[in-house]
Amino acid sequence: MNFHESPHTHVSGVTIKVEDLQRSIHFYQKIIGFKVLDQSQFEARLTADGRTPLLTLDQPANVTQKQPRTTGLYHFALLLPERADLGRVLNHFAQLNIPLGSSDHLVSEALYLNDPDGNGIEVYWDKPSSGWTWNGGQVEMAVDPIDARAILAEGEEEPWTGLPLQTVMGHIHLHAAELNETADFYTKGLGFEVVSRLGNQAMFLSTGRYHHHIGLNTWNGVGAPQPAENSAGLRAFDIRFPSEQDRKMAISRLETLGIHVHDEPNGQFSTVDPSGNKMYLTI
């Protein structure tokens, strides 16, 4: 099942703020494997398939370094179509001596790294959903070691040539100031379901019984402040609804919760979660 197409609501794109646009373009092309879709003096949109923007880089005026211990981006996650693709990118990272984290989450296998500004990146593939274990509406996930040799072996027949055309934005994981009110925003407002919890520190939400389209955690501290507007980090992310009617219903639910939804001049709608994380509501 494709969890990143209609009828599922999902995260489709992310915009991050960077200190040096040219440095970031070089990193995301040479290290991650994006192509530049278009760019201006202070912004670049990046793509895997040459048509669909997945990541936008924005260099704000008077930009400052990414602030620690705030709300905002923990990581965005690029979903690759096959395990062999993960093997090829793992070999690519190893050849460049890129510092990496990794985990077998039972539902997926993932690699973790940071960009030059400290923005977190996950690159992963999903194990077949038929093998995921569900217990009372909760999907079983873990943080186990990956079998790096087996993953590398899957991709050894072909060289790494960048992100596969079918790469999508798999999910986003956010630092939150607290979990309960923020979770209500995403569940009662946007229509996601909580499908996994890590004690009182983190939770994972999705539609259509995906393992997660959105992660929330308080690892930067309960009550963590919002970062400065011009600091490197998360600018916004896109939540894509399957139809205009679904978006209208979500906007209505948010307004019932007392959440203001902005009608942008370009016809877009935007809002901010209780932890200050901004998003655009798209279709």
Side-chain angles (χ1 to χ4, degrees):
M1 179 180 291
N2 193 326
F3 297 99
H4 298 85
E5 292 181 355
S6 180
H8 308 299
T9 300
H10 60 93
V11 176
S12 60
V14 173
T15 299
I16 57 173
K17 296 172 286 183
V18 300
E19 290 187 67
D20 185 324
L21 181 62
Q22 294 307 315
R23 180 182 68 176
S24 293
I25 289 173
H26 181 269
F27 172 86
Y28 280 103
Q29 284 184 301
K30 302 302 182 183
I31 306 300
I32 303 301
F34 275 110
K35 305 178 185 74
V36 175
L37 183 62
D38 53 55
Q39 72 179 93
S40 60
Q41 185 177 0
F42 298 113
E43 184 180 274
R45 296 195 303 163
L46 307 183
T47 181
D49 64 6
R51 302 183 308 275
T52 308
L54 296 179
L55 181 68
T56 300
L57 308 175
D58 173 29
Q59 182 183 319
N62 303 314
V63 62
T64 63
Q65 290 183 345
K66 190 172 189 290
Q67 294 179 264
R69 312 295 294 176
T70 64
T71 61
L73 183 69
Y74 180 50
H75 62 245
F76 64 84
L78 301 170
L79 174 59
L80 307 179
E82 303 290 344
R83 195 186 197 207
D85 298 310
L86 191 67
R88 284 186 278 275
V89 76
L90 176 56
N91 181 60
H92 166 67
F93 289 156
Q95 289 180 351
L96 296 176
N97 294 314
I98 302 296
L100 293 175
S102 62
S103 286
D104 183 333
H105 293 301
L106 303 182
V107 295
S108 63
E109 291 175 308
L111 307 174
Y112 298 92
L113 68 161
N114 289 330
D115 77 1
D117 293 287
N119 294 305
I121 306 164
E122 177 180 345
V123 182
Y124 74 112
W125 85 288
D126 278 334
K127 299 181 181 183
S129 59
S130 58
W132 302 350
T133 299
W134 291 84
N135 296 301
Q138 300 286 291
V139 65
E140 185 177 346
M141 293 196 288
V143 185
D144 294 337
I146 63 169
D147 187 340
R149 289 185 178 179
I151 293 172
L152 286 169
E154 291 261 359
E156 65 184 4
E157 292 186 4
E158 297 180 21
W160 180 83
T161 57
L163 290 173
L165 300 181
Q166 303 91 341
T167 301
V168 298
M169 189 62 69
H171 63 266
I172 193 168
H173 193 155
L174 302 167
H175 290 297
E178 58 77 50
L179 289 184
N180 291 333
E181 185 181 357
T182 305
D184 284 348
F185 171 91
Y186 288 100
T187 56
K188 297 177 182 179
L190 295 180
F192 290 89
E193 295 179 328
V194 176
V195 293
S196 184
R197 297 177 183 269
L198 184 59
N200 60 358
Q201 298 181 13
M203 63 175 58
F204 302 90
L205 307 96
S206 75
T207 63
R209 287 174 67 86
Y210 189 50
H211 56 74
H212 67 295
H213 292 110
I214 295 171
L216 302 170
N217 73 68
T218 55
W219 297 331
N220 275 351
V222 174
Q226 298 175 29
E229 178 64 25
N230 63 333
S231 72
L234 180 67
R235 168 73 76 192
F237 60 99
D238 300 329
I239 291 183
R240 180 171 294 169
F241 293 88
S243 70
E244 178 62 47
Q245 181 62 26
D246 289 299
R247 180 169 66 174
K248 286 181 177 179
M249 292 170 60
I251 291 172
S252 177
R253 292 193 301 266
L254 289 170
E255 291 174 340
T256 298
L257 293 174
I259 304 294
H260 181 62
V261 178
H262 301 269
D263 190 348
E264 303 278 349
N266 56 7
Q268 291 184 311
F269 293 90
S270 68
T271 189
V272 178
D273 76 13
S275 294
N277 298 305
K278 183 177 180 177
M279 67 210 69
Y280 290 97
L281 309 180
T282 71
I283 53 174

